Amino acid sequence: MEVQGKIKMIDETKTYGNNGFRKREMVVTTEEQYPQHILIEFIQDKTDLLDKFKVGQNVKVSINLRGREWTNPQGETKYFNSLNGWRIESLEQSVSQDMPPMPPEDAFEPVNDLNEDDHDDLPF
């Protein structure tokens, strides 16, 4: 499954228990008529995937939907769902470092003497 949207929040990595279980949460806001704020967890080595991303970026996050059952001390059974991220990709249009930026539109002069009947050898 995938979630697309803009990064609203990236939390710090937190470590739990004696075994060093690591978890990092992020929130992605979907861009639709009724935007949703989706909490996604990254665990263990996947927490490092968020290091190169920042709030405001448009991303696509690959997720697994997880569910678990828990019985409290009073004997009541409860169910929990979580979204576990395992890949994240930027949807931003990146500009190559080798290419100079595109000049503004008004830097180009309009063509005034264009003759549509002139033959050219372009294949399109």
Side-chain angles (χ1 to χ4, degrees):
M1 300 172 78
E2 294 177 341
V3 174
Q4 287 188 20
K6 189 172 290 216
I7 297 175
K8 180 175 182 149
M9 183 274 295
I10 300 177
D11 204 1
E12 297 296 319
T13 301
K14 295 180 179 151
T15 305
Y16 300 93
N18 296 333
N19 294 333
F21 177 80
R22 296 186 316 147
K23 180 168 92 168
R24 191 171 185 186
E25 297 177 334
M26 75 176 303
V27 174
V28 173
T29 302
T30 62
E31 296 176 350
E32 51 196 354
Q33 182 177 1
Y34 301 105
Q36 302 295 308
H37 305 287
I38 310 294
L39 176 70
I40 302 170
E41 300 175 340
F42 287 78
I43 58 173
Q44 298 299 73
D45 62 327
K46 301 298 183 190
T47 60
D48 298 335
L49 295 175
L50 297 177
D51 289 343
K52 62 182 179 178
F53 293 92
K54 60 183 186 275
V55 171
Q57 277 186 282
N58 286 311
V59 293
K60 176 170 66 173
V61 184
S62 298
I63 59 169
N64 289 325
L65 176 61
R66 299 283 184 221
R68 65 182 179 93
E69 179 180 272
W70 176 71
T71 305
N72 68 16
Q74 292 78 30
E76 299 171 321
T77 301
K78 305 219 179 228
Y79 297 91
F80 298 92
N81 296 321
S82 62
L83 301 177
N84 287 50
W86 54 274
R87 180 173 57 199
I88 181 169
E89 303 171 53
S90 176
L91 295 177
E92 306 277 318
Q93 294 294 333
S94 61
V95 177
S96 172
Q97 298 297 331
D98 300 334
M99 289 187 62
M102 184 75 167
E105 186 177 328
D106 59 0
F108 298 98
E109 293 182 26
V111 176
N112 295 324
D113 59 347
L114 180 64
N115 184 353
E116 296 283 337
D117 296 329
D118 284 345
H119 175 74
D120 63 42
D121 58 354
L122 295 177
F124 50 88

